[in-house]
């Protein structure tokens, strides 16, 4: 099942290959095998994709009713709205409220599955963007600084273009109150951290670089990701700051990544980060 033309959440071919059996888990089926089959059905994906489109509208259209629904923790995703959107986008599947209720006994069951699904879409979107970086030049070709700038710029553009990051912020805020949401958020971060570091690891390896003693790959990836999310918040606030230069395809995150590499990467002295700082900036 493909997304609607122009869908801002991700590439249809990438998402179609994702097994949703462990993501969409609140379906009204007793047997796990039947639930897994239904989770990956075209119509189930159609309902979930319809909710993505409504979320896109809620964050970008300026529709006061939808925006108010967003404030009320996804109340804009009512069953009639989702079904109506699915009927508009996937008329060949003949979505109906009866078919919706056949899948989700309660509206909260659908909301929980949708949030888990949206977080998976966020993962897929990032991996697609990182794949574009590799196709554009690869982590093994070009100056290290140029590659880092390109990766960081792709991450910044993803925040600006995808409603997924906005939804991510909402779900994190409510994660402590919903175990299912909490599990989805943790799974998303585990995947995003692995994806980011997987790319930076290739950059380091291509340049023959190693991290300083005491600095782990996981720590390096977490700090980079946290800086990217901090920049994302400022981008969404539309502050008058030099955060992204689209003409040059540069971002402040790129500069931050370069600075982090200078500190975290072993320049050959074999020092820990603490020792390197004390050596460079001794007390008077």
């Amino acid at each position: 099942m493909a997304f609607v033309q122009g869908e801002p959440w991700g590439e249809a071919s990438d998402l179609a290959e994702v097994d949703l059996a462990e993501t969409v888990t609140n379906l009204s089926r007793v047997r796990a095998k039947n639930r897994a089959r239904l989770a990956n059905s075209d119509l189930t994906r159609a309902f979930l994709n319809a909710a993505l489109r409504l979320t896109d509208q809620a964050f970008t259209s300026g529709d006061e009713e939808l925006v108010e629904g967003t404030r009320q923790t996804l109340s804009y995703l009512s069953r009639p709205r989702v079904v109506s959107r699915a009927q508009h986008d996937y008329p060949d599947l003949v979505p109906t409220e009866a078919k919706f209720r056949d899948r989700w006994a309660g509206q909260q069951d659908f909301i929980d599955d949708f949030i888990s699904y949206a977080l998976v879409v966020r993962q897929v979107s990032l991996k697609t963007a990182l794949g574009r970086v590799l196709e554009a030049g690869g982590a093994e070709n070009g100056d290290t600084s140029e590659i880092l700038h390109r990766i960081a710029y792709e991450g910044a553009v993803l925040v600006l273009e995808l409603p997924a990051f906005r939804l991510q912020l909402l779900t994190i805020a409510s994660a402590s109150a919903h175990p299912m949401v909490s599990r989805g958020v943790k799974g998303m971060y585990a995947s995003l951290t692995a994806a980011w570091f997987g790319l930076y690891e290739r950059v380091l390896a291509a340049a023959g670089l190693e991290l300083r003693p005491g600095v782990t790959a996981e720590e390096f990836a977490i700090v980079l990701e946290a800086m990217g999310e901090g920049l994302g918040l400022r981008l969404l606030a539309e502050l008058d700051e030099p955060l992204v230069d689209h003409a040059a395809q540069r971002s402040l995150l790129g500069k931050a990544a370069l600075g982090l590499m200078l500190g975290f990467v072993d320049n050959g002295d074999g020092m820990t980060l603490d020792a390197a700082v004390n050596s460079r900036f001794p007390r008077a």
Side-chain angles (χ1 to χ4, degrees):
M1 174 55 60
F3 280 164
V4 180
Q5 183 68 28
E7 174 62 63
W9 288 79
E11 297 292 335
S13 59
D14 294 328
L15 194 56
E17 297 175 358
V18 176
D19 182 2
L20 300 180
E22 299 299 321
T23 300
V24 181
T25 59
N26 292 306
L27 297 169
S28 302
R29 293 294 185 275
V30 175
R31 296 180 181 277
K33 183 178 180 180
N34 293 336
R35 286 200 306 272
R37 184 185 302 112
L38 193 63
N40 287 296
S41 73
D42 286 350
L43 189 52
T44 297
R45 290 174 185 267
F47 285 129
L48 294 166
N49 289 342
L52 291 180
R53 291 293 292 182
L54 288 172
T55 300
D56 178 31
Q57 287 180 256
F59 285 120
T60 62
S61 69
D63 185 309
E64 291 186 5
E65 184 178 358
L66 286 175
V67 171
E68 180 59 29
T70 304
R71 295 194 186 100
Q72 297 173 11
T73 316
L74 309 185
S75 64
Y76 63 92
L77 293 178
S78 65
R79 183 186 299 118
R81 279 186 180 275
V82 173
V83 172
S84 177
R85 184 73 211 195
Q87 290 171 339
H88 177 273
D89 293 343
Y90 306 95
D92 56 311
L93 298 178
V94 194
T96 64
E97 287 205 28
K99 292 177 181 177
F100 184 101
R101 288 193 299 270
D102 179 58
R103 284 161 168 74
W104 294 282
Q107 184 63 10
Q108 191 57 50
D109 292 328
F110 171 74
I111 294 296
D112 288 345
D113 276 349
F114 166 68
I115 290 174
S116 297
Y117 180 69
L119 294 176
V120 168
V121 173
R122 167 89 167 124
Q123 298 172 28
V124 173
S125 300
L126 175 59
K127 290 178 180 178
T128 300
L130 297 184
R132 287 198 300 266
V133 174
L134 294 177
E135 291 175 2
E140 294 82 6
N141 302 309
D143 293 336
T144 301
S145 62
E146 172 64 25
I147 295 169
L148 289 175
H149 273 300
R150 195 159 64 237
I151 295 170
Y153 177 75
E154 285 286 352
V157 169
L158 205 63
V159 168
L160 289 171
E161 293 183 349
L162 293 180
F165 182 67
R166 296 170 173 85
L167 182 61
Q168 175 185 330
L169 298 178
L170 277 180
T171 56
I172 290 173
S174 62
S176 61
H178 300 284
M180 289 293 295
V181 175
S182 178
R183 187 182 72 177
V185 168
K186 290 176 181 177
M188 177 204 66
Y189 270 112
S191 179
L192 294 186
T193 299
W196 275 118
F197 185 74
L199 189 53
Y200 282 112
E201 188 176 39
R202 293 180 63 175
V203 174
L204 294 172
L209 302 174
E210 295 182 357
L211 296 173
R212 288 189 175 280
V215 178
T216 69
E218 182 182 24
E219 291 171 339
F220 184 70
I222 290 172
V223 173
L224 281 170
E225 190 178 345
M227 289 194 303
E229 291 187 345
L231 175 65
L233 288 174
R234 303 181 81 87
L235 285 171
L236 295 181
E238 299 182 349
L239 303 176
D240 185 18
E241 297 177 341
L243 303 176
V244 176
D245 182 345
H246 291 293
Q249 293 193 332
R250 290 288 187 273
S251 71
L252 192 57
L253 179 59
K255 287 186 178 180
L258 293 180
L260 190 66
M261 281 196 68
L262 283 176
F264 276 19
V265 172
D266 189 344
N267 65 358
D269 58 25
M271 293 183 179
T272 64
L273 187 59
D274 286 356
V277 169
N278 291 334
S279 175
R280 178 67 177 82
F281 305 105
R283 288 192 301 175

PDB file of all heavy atoms in Angstrom, residues 189-221:
ATOM      1  N   TYR A 189      13.796   5.731  19.831  1.00  0.00           N
ATOM      2  CA  TYR A 189      15.110   6.297  20.146  1.00  0.00           C
ATOM      3  C   TYR A 189      16.218   5.278  19.946  1.00  0.00           C
ATOM      4  O   TYR A 189      17.314   5.623  19.487  1.00  0.00           O
ATOM      5  CB  TYR A 189      15.128   6.838  21.579  1.00  0.00           C
ATOM      6  CG  TYR A 189      14.703   8.286  21.650  1.00  0.00           C
ATOM      7  CD1 TYR A 189      13.512   8.653  22.246  1.00  0.00           C
ATOM      8  CD2 TYR A 189      15.494   9.284  21.090  1.00  0.00           C
ATOM      9  CE1 TYR A 189      13.107   9.982  22.292  1.00  0.00           C
ATOM     10  CE2 TYR A 189      15.102  10.606  21.130  1.00  0.00           C
ATOM     11  CZ  TYR A 189      13.906  10.957  21.730  1.00  0.00           C
ATOM     12  OH  TYR A 189      13.523  12.266  21.754  1.00  0.00           O
ATOM     13  N   ALA A 190      15.948   4.035  20.277  1.00  0.00           N
ATOM     14  CA  ALA A 190      16.964   3.003  20.056  1.00  0.00           C
ATOM     15  C   ALA A 190      17.299   2.901  18.571  1.00  0.00           C
ATOM     16  O   ALA A 190      18.470   2.798  18.182  1.00  0.00           O
ATOM     17  CB  ALA A 190      16.469   1.659  20.577  1.00  0.00           C
ATOM     18  N   SER A 191      16.267   2.963  17.734  1.00  0.00           N
ATOM     19  CA  SER A 191      16.476   2.866  16.290  1.00  0.00           C
ATOM     20  C   SER A 191      17.169   4.103  15.742  1.00  0.00           C
ATOM     21  O   SER A 191      18.090   4.009  14.920  1.00  0.00           O
ATOM     22  CB  SER A 191      15.132   2.657  15.590  1.00  0.00           C
ATOM     23  OG  SER A 191      15.304   2.578  14.192  1.00  0.00           O
ATOM     24  N   LEU A 192      16.726   5.298  16.185  1.00  0.00           N
ATOM     25  CA  LEU A 192      17.315   6.542  15.674  1.00  0.00           C
ATOM     26  C   LEU A 192      18.785   6.653  16.079  1.00  0.00           C
ATOM     27  O   LEU A 192      19.631   7.077  15.277  1.00  0.00           O
ATOM     28  CB  LEU A 192      16.542   7.752  16.192  1.00  0.00           C
ATOM     29  CG  LEU A 192      15.105   7.914  15.705  1.00  0.00           C
ATOM     30  CD1 LEU A 192      14.536   9.238  16.180  1.00  0.00           C
ATOM     31  CD2 LEU A 192      15.017   7.819  14.193  1.00  0.00           C
ATOM     32  N   THR A 193      19.093   6.291  17.323  1.00  0.00           N
ATOM     33  CA  THR A 193      20.478   6.358  17.775  1.00  0.00           C
ATOM     34  C   THR A 193      21.361   5.431  16.949  1.00  0.00           C
ATOM     35  O   THR A 193      22.457   5.807  16.528  1.00  0.00           O
ATOM     36  CB  THR A 193      20.576   5.978  19.268  1.00  0.00           C
ATOM     37  OG1 THR A 193      19.811   6.907  20.046  1.00  0.00           O
ATOM     38  CG2 THR A 193      22.031   6.020  19.748  1.00  0.00           C
ATOM     39  N   ALA A 194      20.855   4.233  16.695  1.00  0.00           N
ATOM     40  CA  ALA A 194      21.619   3.279  15.885  1.00  0.00           C
ATOM     41  C   ALA A 194      21.809   3.795  14.462  1.00  0.00           C
ATOM     42  O   ALA A 194      22.883   3.664  13.872  1.00  0.00           O
ATOM     43  CB  ALA A 194      20.910   1.930  15.868  1.00  0.00           C
ATOM     44  N   ALA A 195      20.768   4.418  13.909  1.00  0.00           N
ATOM     45  CA  ALA A 195      20.852   4.927  12.534  1.00  0.00           C
ATOM     46  C   ALA A 195      21.855   6.071  12.425  1.00  0.00           C
ATOM     47  O   ALA A 195      22.696   6.103  11.517  1.00  0.00           O
ATOM     48  CB  ALA A 195      19.475   5.386  12.063  1.00  0.00           C
ATOM     49  N   TRP A 196      21.777   7.017  13.369  1.00  0.00           N
ATOM     50  CA  TRP A 196      22.704   8.144  13.330  1.00  0.00           C
ATOM     51  C   TRP A 196      24.136   7.677  13.496  1.00  0.00           C
ATOM     52  O   TRP A 196      25.025   8.059  12.741  1.00  0.00           O
ATOM     53  CB  TRP A 196      22.363   9.160  14.436  1.00  0.00           C
ATOM     54  CG  TRP A 196      21.321  10.159  14.067  1.00  0.00           C
ATOM     55  CD1 TRP A 196      20.101  10.333  14.650  1.00  0.00           C
ATOM     56  CD2 TRP A 196      21.389  11.136  13.027  1.00  0.00           C
ATOM     57  NE1 TRP A 196      19.421  11.334  14.036  1.00  0.00           N
ATOM     58  CE2 TRP A 196      20.184  11.854  13.045  1.00  0.00           C
ATOM     59  CE3 TRP A 196      22.360  11.475  12.083  1.00  0.00           C
ATOM     60  CZ2 TRP A 196      19.914  12.890  12.155  1.00  0.00           C
ATOM     61  CZ3 TRP A 196      22.097  12.505  11.184  1.00  0.00           C
ATOM     62  CH2 TRP A 196      20.889  13.205  11.234  1.00  0.00           C
ATOM     63  N   PHE A 197      24.374   6.847  14.511  1.00  0.00           N
ATOM     64  CA  PHE A 197      25.758   6.444  14.731  1.00  0.00           C
ATOM     65  C   PHE A 197      26.266   5.560  13.612  1.00  0.00           C
ATOM     66  O   PHE A 197      27.448   5.621  13.261  1.00  0.00           O
ATOM     67  CB  PHE A 197      25.961   5.734  16.071  1.00  0.00           C
ATOM     68  CG  PHE A 197      27.421   5.444  16.299  1.00  0.00           C
ATOM     69  CD1 PHE A 197      28.286   6.467  16.637  1.00  0.00           C
ATOM     70  CD2 PHE A 197      27.939   4.185  16.087  1.00  0.00           C
ATOM     71  CE1 PHE A 197      29.640   6.226  16.791  1.00  0.00           C
ATOM     72  CE2 PHE A 197      29.296   3.937  16.241  1.00  0.00           C
ATOM     73  CZ  PHE A 197      30.146   4.961  16.597  1.00  0.00           C
ATOM     74  N   GLY A 198      25.384   4.748  13.040  1.00  0.00           N
ATOM     75  CA  GLY A 198      25.817   3.905  11.934  1.00  0.00           C
ATOM     76  C   GLY A 198      26.426   4.716  10.806  1.00  0.00           C
ATOM     77  O   GLY A 198      27.431   4.315  10.196  1.00  0.00           O
ATOM     78  N   LEU A 199      25.842   5.889  10.550  1.00  0.00           N
ATOM     79  CA  LEU A 199      26.368   6.743   9.492  1.00  0.00           C
ATOM     80  C   LEU A 199      27.654   7.453   9.932  1.00  0.00           C
ATOM     81  O   LEU A 199      28.649   7.474   9.208  1.00  0.00           O
ATOM     82  CB  LEU A 199      25.319   7.775   9.090  1.00  0.00           C
ATOM     83  CG  LEU A 199      25.628   8.602   7.845  1.00  0.00           C
ATOM     84  CD1 LEU A 199      25.957   7.706   6.657  1.00  0.00           C
ATOM     85  CD2 LEU A 199      24.459   9.487   7.500  1.00  0.00           C
ATOM     86  N   TYR A 200      27.643   8.022  11.139  1.00  0.00           N
ATOM     87  CA  TYR A 200      28.847   8.701  11.617  1.00  0.00           C
ATOM     88  C   TYR A 200      30.008   7.727  11.799  1.00  0.00           C
ATOM     89  O   TYR A 200      31.166   8.080  11.605  1.00  0.00           O
ATOM     90  CB  TYR A 200      28.561   9.431  12.934  1.00  0.00           C
ATOM     91  CG  TYR A 200      27.833  10.741  12.740  1.00  0.00           C
ATOM     92  CD1 TYR A 200      26.527  10.911  13.167  1.00  0.00           C
ATOM     93  CD2 TYR A 200      28.458  11.807  12.111  1.00  0.00           C
ATOM     94  CE1 TYR A 200      25.855  12.114  12.979  1.00  0.00           C
ATOM     95  CE2 TYR A 200      27.799  13.010  11.923  1.00  0.00           C
ATOM     96  CZ  TYR A 200      26.501  13.152  12.360  1.00  0.00           C
ATOM     97  OH  TYR A 200      25.840  14.336  12.158  1.00  0.00           O
ATOM     98  N   GLU A 201      29.687   6.495  12.172  1.00  0.00           N
ATOM     99  CA  GLU A 201      30.730   5.481  12.339  1.00  0.00           C
ATOM    100  C   GLU A 201      31.456   5.243  11.013  1.00  0.00           C
ATOM    101  O   GLU A 201      32.674   5.068  10.976  1.00  0.00           O
ATOM    102  CB  GLU A 201      30.116   4.188  12.848  1.00  0.00           C
ATOM    103  CG  GLU A 201      31.130   3.122  13.236  1.00  0.00           C
ATOM    104  CD  GLU A 201      30.460   1.900  13.832  1.00  0.00           C
ATOM    105  OE1 GLU A 201      29.379   1.510  13.333  1.00  0.00           O
ATOM    106  OE2 GLU A 201      30.990   1.349  14.805  1.00  0.00           O
ATOM    107  N   ARG A 202      30.695   5.254   9.923  1.00  0.00           N
ATOM    108  CA  ARG A 202      31.299   5.068   8.608  1.00  0.00           C
ATOM    109  C   ARG A 202      32.211   6.245   8.259  1.00  0.00           C
ATOM    110  O   ARG A 202      33.257   6.078   7.643  1.00  0.00           O
ATOM    111  CB  ARG A 202      30.213   4.906   7.549  1.00  0.00           C
ATOM    112  CG  ARG A 202      29.419   3.617   7.692  1.00  0.00           C
ATOM    113  CD  ARG A 202      28.355   3.463   6.630  1.00  0.00           C
ATOM    114  NE  ARG A 202      28.925   3.377   5.294  1.00  0.00           N
ATOM    115  CZ  ARG A 202      28.198   3.139   4.198  1.00  0.00           C
ATOM    116  NH1 ARG A 202      26.890   2.977   4.311  1.00  0.00           N
ATOM    117  NH2 ARG A 202      28.778   3.064   3.023  1.00  0.00           N
ATOM    118  N   VAL A 203      31.789   7.450   8.657  1.00  0.00           N
ATOM    119  CA  VAL A 203      32.615   8.629   8.411  1.00  0.00           C
ATOM    120  C   VAL A 203      33.935   8.510   9.169  1.00  0.00           C
ATOM    121  O   VAL A 203      35.016   8.755   8.624  1.00  0.00           O
ATOM    122  CB  VAL A 203      31.873   9.916   8.842  1.00  0.00           C
ATOM    123  CG1 VAL A 203      32.789  11.130   8.714  1.00  0.00           C
ATOM    124  CG2 VAL A 203      30.625  10.116   7.985  1.00  0.00           C
ATOM    125  N   LEU A 204      33.844   8.126  10.440  1.00  0.00           N
ATOM    126  CA  LEU A 204      35.053   7.985  11.268  1.00  0.00           C
ATOM    127  C   LEU A 204      35.977   6.903  10.712  1.00  0.00           C
ATOM    128  O   LEU A 204      37.189   7.091  10.612  1.00  0.00           O
ATOM    129  CB  LEU A 204      34.669   7.655  12.708  1.00  0.00           C
ATOM    130  CG  LEU A 204      33.911   8.737  13.484  1.00  0.00           C
ATOM    131  CD1 LEU A 204      33.430   8.177  14.821  1.00  0.00           C
ATOM    132  CD2 LEU A 204      34.786   9.955  13.708  1.00  0.00           C
ATOM    133  N   ALA A 205      35.373   5.766  10.346  1.00  0.00           N
ATOM    134  CA  ALA A 205      36.183   4.660   9.841  1.00  0.00           C
ATOM    135  C   ALA A 205      36.865   5.025   8.533  1.00  0.00           C
ATOM    136  O   ALA A 205      38.036   4.684   8.299  1.00  0.00           O
ATOM    137  CB  ALA A 205      35.302   3.424   9.650  1.00  0.00           C
ATOM    138  N   ALA A 206      36.139   5.742   7.661  1.00  0.00           N
ATOM    139  CA  ALA A 206      36.707   6.131   6.362  1.00  0.00           C
ATOM    140  C   ALA A 206      37.901   7.067   6.544  1.00  0.00           C
ATOM    141  O   ALA A 206      38.845   7.050   5.750  1.00  0.00           O
ATOM    142  CB  ALA A 206      35.642   6.797   5.508  1.00  0.00           C
ATOM    143  N   ALA A 207      37.853   7.884   7.605  1.00  0.00           N
ATOM    144  CA  ALA A 207      38.940   8.823   7.861  1.00  0.00           C
ATOM    145  C   ALA A 207      40.020   8.217   8.760  1.00  0.00           C
ATOM    146  O   ALA A 207      41.010   8.888   9.083  1.00  0.00           O
ATOM    147  CB  ALA A 207      38.385  10.099   8.514  1.00  0.00           C
ATOM    148  N   GLY A 208      39.832   6.955   9.162  1.00  0.00           N
ATOM    149  CA  GLY A 208      40.809   6.304  10.020  1.00  0.00           C
ATOM    150  C   GLY A 208      40.853   6.874  11.420  1.00  0.00           C
ATOM    151  O   GLY A 208      41.915   6.913  12.046  1.00  0.00           O
ATOM    152  N   LEU A 209      39.686   7.322  11.931  1.00  0.00           N
ATOM    153  CA  LEU A 209      39.631   7.982  13.232  1.00  0.00           C
ATOM    154  C   LEU A 209      39.030   7.057  14.295  1.00  0.00           C
ATOM    155  O   LEU A 209      38.219   6.190  13.985  1.00  0.00           O
ATOM    156  CB  LEU A 209      38.793   9.261  13.134  1.00  0.00           C
ATOM    157  CG  LEU A 209      39.272  10.302  12.114  1.00  0.00           C
ATOM    158  CD1 LEU A 209      38.267  11.445  12.027  1.00  0.00           C
ATOM    159  CD2 LEU A 209      40.651  10.833  12.499  1.00  0.00           C
ATOM    160  N   GLU A 210      39.426   7.283  15.544  1.00  0.00           N
ATOM    161  CA  GLU A 210      38.869   6.547  16.670  1.00  0.00           C
ATOM    162  C   GLU A 210      38.472   7.535  17.761  1.00  0.00           C
ATOM    163  O   GLU A 210      39.056   8.620  17.882  1.00  0.00           O
ATOM    164  CB  GLU A 210      39.895   5.555  17.233  1.00  0.00           C
ATOM    165  CG  GLU A 210      40.265   4.434  16.268  1.00  0.00           C
ATOM    166  CD  GLU A 210      41.240   3.450  16.894  1.00  0.00           C
ATOM    167  OE1 GLU A 210      41.650   3.695  18.060  1.00  0.00           O
ATOM    168  OE2 GLU A 210      41.579   2.455  16.239  1.00  0.00           O
ATOM    169  N   LEU A 211      37.496   7.134  18.563  1.00  0.00           N
ATOM    170  CA  LEU A 211      37.065   7.980  19.669  1.00  0.00           C
ATOM    171  C   LEU A 211      38.099   7.934  20.793  1.00  0.00           C
ATOM    172  O   LEU A 211      38.859   6.979  20.922  1.00  0.00           O
ATOM    173  CB  LEU A 211      35.712   7.512  20.195  1.00  0.00           C
ATOM    174  CG  LEU A 211      34.550   7.614  19.201  1.00  0.00           C
ATOM    175  CD1 LEU A 211      33.300   6.965  19.796  1.00  0.00           C
ATOM    176  CD2 LEU A 211      34.273   9.059  18.834  1.00  0.00           C
ATOM    177  N   ARG A 212      38.109   8.977  21.602  1.00  0.00           N
ATOM    178  CA  ARG A 212      39.038   9.034  22.730  1.00  0.00           C
ATOM    179  C   ARG A 212      38.710   7.935  23.748  1.00  0.00           C
ATOM    180  O   ARG A 212      37.552   7.511  23.850  1.00  0.00           O
ATOM    181  CB  ARG A 212      38.963  10.399  23.428  1.00  0.00           C
ATOM    182  CG  ARG A 212      39.583  11.537  22.629  1.00  0.00           C
ATOM    183  CD  ARG A 212      39.666  12.802  23.464  1.00  0.00           C
ATOM    184  NE  ARG A 212      40.371  13.871  22.755  1.00  0.00           N
ATOM    185  CZ  ARG A 212      41.679  13.974  22.660  1.00  0.00           C
ATOM    186  NH1 ARG A 212      42.457  13.068  23.266  1.00  0.00           N
ATOM    187  NH2 ARG A 212      42.242  14.972  22.009  1.00  0.00           N
ATOM    188  N   PRO A 213      39.707   7.488  24.488  1.00  0.00           N
ATOM    189  CA  PRO A 213      39.451   6.505  25.545  1.00  0.00           C
ATOM    190  C   PRO A 213      38.397   7.035  26.515  1.00  0.00           C
ATOM    191  O   PRO A 213      38.425   8.206  26.914  1.00  0.00           O
ATOM    192  CB  PRO A 213      40.812   6.375  26.245  1.00  0.00           C
ATOM    193  CG  PRO A 213      41.811   6.771  25.208  1.00  0.00           C
ATOM    194  CD  PRO A 213      41.152   7.845  24.400  1.00  0.00           C
ATOM    195  N   GLY A 214      37.435   6.194  26.857  1.00  0.00           N
ATOM    196  CA  GLY A 214      36.389   6.608  27.784  1.00  0.00           C
ATOM    197  C   GLY A 214      35.160   7.180  27.111  1.00  0.00           C
ATOM    198  O   GLY A 214      34.136   7.397  27.762  1.00  0.00           O
ATOM    199  N   VAL A 215      35.241   7.448  25.810  1.00  0.00           N
ATOM    200  CA  VAL A 215      34.085   7.928  25.058  1.00  0.00           C
ATOM    201  C   VAL A 215      33.539   6.757  24.240  1.00  0.00           C
ATOM    202  O   VAL A 215      34.254   6.185  23.419  1.00  0.00           O
ATOM    203  CB  VAL A 215      34.455   9.089  24.111  1.00  0.00           C
ATOM    204  CG1 VAL A 215      33.227   9.516  23.306  1.00  0.00           C
ATOM    205  CG2 VAL A 215      35.007  10.272  24.896  1.00  0.00           C
ATOM    206  N   THR A 216      32.290   6.389  24.487  1.00  0.00           N
ATOM    207  CA  THR A 216      31.713   5.246  23.786  1.00  0.00           C
ATOM    208  C   THR A 216      30.955   5.684  22.536  1.00  0.00           C
ATOM    209  O   THR A 216      30.552   6.847  22.419  1.00  0.00           O
ATOM    210  CB  THR A 216      30.745   4.472  24.696  1.00  0.00           C
ATOM    211  OG1 THR A 216      29.577   5.285  24.944  1.00  0.00           O
ATOM    212  CG2 THR A 216      31.406   4.107  26.012  1.00  0.00           C
ATOM    213  N   ALA A 217      30.756   4.737  21.648  1.00  0.00           N
ATOM    214  CA  ALA A 217      30.000   5.003  20.427  1.00  0.00           C
ATOM    215  C   ALA A 217      28.583   5.439  20.763  1.00  0.00           C
ATOM    216  O   ALA A 217      28.022   6.350  20.134  1.00  0.00           O
ATOM    217  CB  ALA A 217      29.978   3.754  19.554  1.00  0.00           C
ATOM    218  N   GLU A 218      28.000   4.808  21.779  1.00  0.00           N
ATOM    219  CA  GLU A 218      26.640   5.157  22.174  1.00  0.00           C
ATOM    220  C   GLU A 218      26.563   6.596  22.675  1.00  0.00           C
ATOM    221  O   GLU A 218      25.642   7.344  22.320  1.00  0.00           O
ATOM    222  CB  GLU A 218      26.151   4.206  23.263  1.00  0.00           C
ATOM    223  CG  GLU A 218      24.717   4.480  23.705  1.00  0.00           C
ATOM    224  CD  GLU A 218      24.270   3.567  24.826  1.00  0.00           C
ATOM    225  OE1 GLU A 218      25.150   3.054  25.552  1.00  0.00           O
ATOM    226  OE2 GLU A 218      23.056   3.369  24.983  1.00  0.00           O
ATOM    227  N   GLU A 219      27.516   7.004  23.488  1.00  0.00           N
ATOM    228  CA  GLU A 219      27.532   8.375  24.008  1.00  0.00           C
ATOM    229  C   GLU A 219      27.670   9.384  22.879  1.00  0.00           C
ATOM    230  O   GLU A 219      27.000  10.424  22.865  1.00  0.00           O
ATOM    231  CB  GLU A 219      28.681   8.545  25.003  1.00  0.00           C
ATOM    232  CG  GLU A 219      28.486   7.781  26.300  1.00  0.00           C
ATOM    233  CD  GLU A 219      29.731   7.779  27.174  1.00  0.00           C
ATOM    234  OE1 GLU A 219      30.846   8.002  26.632  1.00  0.00           O
ATOM    235  OE2 GLU A 219      29.604   7.550  28.386  1.00  0.00           O
ATOM    236  N   PHE A 220      28.551   9.085  21.930  1.00  0.00           N
ATOM    237  CA  PHE A 220      28.764   9.981  20.800  1.00  0.00           C
ATOM    238  C   PHE A 220      27.458  10.175  20.026  1.00  0.00           C
ATOM    239  O   PHE A 220      27.064  11.298  19.695  1.00  0.00           O
ATOM    240  CB  PHE A 220      29.835   9.384  19.890  1.00  0.00           C
ATOM    241  CG  PHE A 220      30.226  10.247  18.730  1.00  0.00           C
ATOM    242  CD1 PHE A 220      30.948  11.417  18.923  1.00  0.00           C
ATOM    243  CD2 PHE A 220      29.887   9.889  17.432  1.00  0.00           C
ATOM    244  CE1 PHE A 220      31.321  12.206  17.851  1.00  0.00           C
ATOM    245  CE2 PHE A 220      30.250  10.674  16.346  1.00  0.00           C
ATOM    246  CZ  PHE A 220      30.982  11.838  16.560  1.00  0.00           C
ATOM    247  N   ALA A 221      26.744   9.067  19.758  1.00  0.00           N
ATOM    248  CA  ALA A 221      25.506   9.131  19.002  1.00  0.00           C
ATOM    249  C   ALA A 221      24.413   9.871  19.771  1.00  0.00           C
ATOM    250  O   ALA A 221      23.671  10.673  19.201  1.00  0.00           O
ATOM    251  CB  ALA A 221      25.036   7.717  18.653  1.00  0.00           C
TER     252      ALA A 221
END
